[in-house]
Amino acid sequence: MKPLTEQEIRSSFINCSKGEAKRISLPRDLDERPWDDLDFLGWRDPGAPDRSYLVTEREGRPVGVTLRFPSAQRGFLHRSMCSLCLTTHRGGGVSLMTARKAGTAGREGNSVGVYMCADLACSLYVRGRKALDSGSRFEESLTTQEQIARTVGHLSAFLDKLYA
């Protein structure tokens, strides 16, 4: 992923108003992010514990999505799998993220959900750049590049649902 500026990020959101996008708390470490290892930029809002954000490239331009997730966490022994990168986590490591649909459907209250790594670090898990605290990744016969392509495909399928 190419590095993004604050303005590019704010103008990329498809499922919130321009005013809402203006008020989003952006990560302060944009210059330090491992952009070459990211398929999407994801972060949680420190001021609103039930909100997170995701920005990815789609058809050559950044596309941002506001996400919500429940604050209730599962027990430590419970395991869940991220539907994007297929990493399993214990406890609250995977959460159902919901996003309002784009356009009229979103304004009418329609949304789409996806189970994702709660820390939004799917890209780093797939590449082996971030260690898991208590989860695991299955040993696969796919190459890392094939796993990256699968993760990007799963993300793209989720984004398609926001436009449908």
Side-chain angles (χ1 to χ4, degrees):
M1 182 169 192
K2 75 174 187 75
L4 297 172
T5 66
E6 178 179 334
Q7 184 56 41
E8 289 173 317
I9 293 169
R10 290 194 189 284
S11 63
S12 73
F13 287 95
I14 62 168
N15 65 341
C16 69
S17 70
K18 289 181 181 180
E20 289 171 315
K22 207 177 211 180
R23 293 186 297 274
I24 290 174
S25 297
L26 297 181
R28 295 182 182 187
D29 63 346
L30 288 175
D31 295 341
E32 301 163 21
R33 294 286 172 131
W35 292 100
D36 290 338
D37 291 328
L38 297 179
D39 303 307
F40 63 87
L41 171 65
W43 72 99
R44 292 177 75 164
D45 189 332
D50 66 335
R51 291 189 194 155
S52 57
Y53 308 95
L54 181 148
V55 179
T56 189
E57 291 176 8
R58 191 166 164 100
E59 298 175 3
R61 65 180 188 88
V63 174
V65 179
T66 61
L67 301 162
R68 290 189 179 260
F69 58 96
S71 57
Q73 300 295 324
R74 294 190 167 129
F76 182 73
L77 297 177
H78 183 85
R79 288 183 169 274
S80 298
M81 180 183 285
C82 173
S83 61
L84 296 185
C85 68
L86 304 186
T87 301
T88 60
H89 295 271
R90 287 190 187 155
V94 171
S95 189
L96 175 63
M97 305 278 190
T98 58
R100 271 192 323 214
K101 287 186 147 200
T104 304
R107 287 189 293 277
E108 292 174 354
N110 296 320
S111 63
V112 178
V114 63
Y115 284 94
M116 288 181 62
C117 295
D119 63 1
L120 303 166
C122 300
S123 301
L124 302 178
Y125 291 129
V126 169
R127 290 167 172 80
R129 302 266 194 261
K130 184 169 183 180
L132 291 159
D133 292 334
S134 60
S136 63
R137 290 207 30 93
F138 293 107
E139 192 163 324
E140 298 190 61
S141 58
L142 297 177
T143 66
T144 301
Q145 287 305 316
E146 291 169 328
Q147 291 177 49
I148 292 168
R150 180 184 60 205
T151 301
V152 170
H154 289 167
L155 176 58
S156 182
F158 171 67
L159 293 175
D160 287 346
K161 292 176 185 175
L162 293 176
Y163 291 105

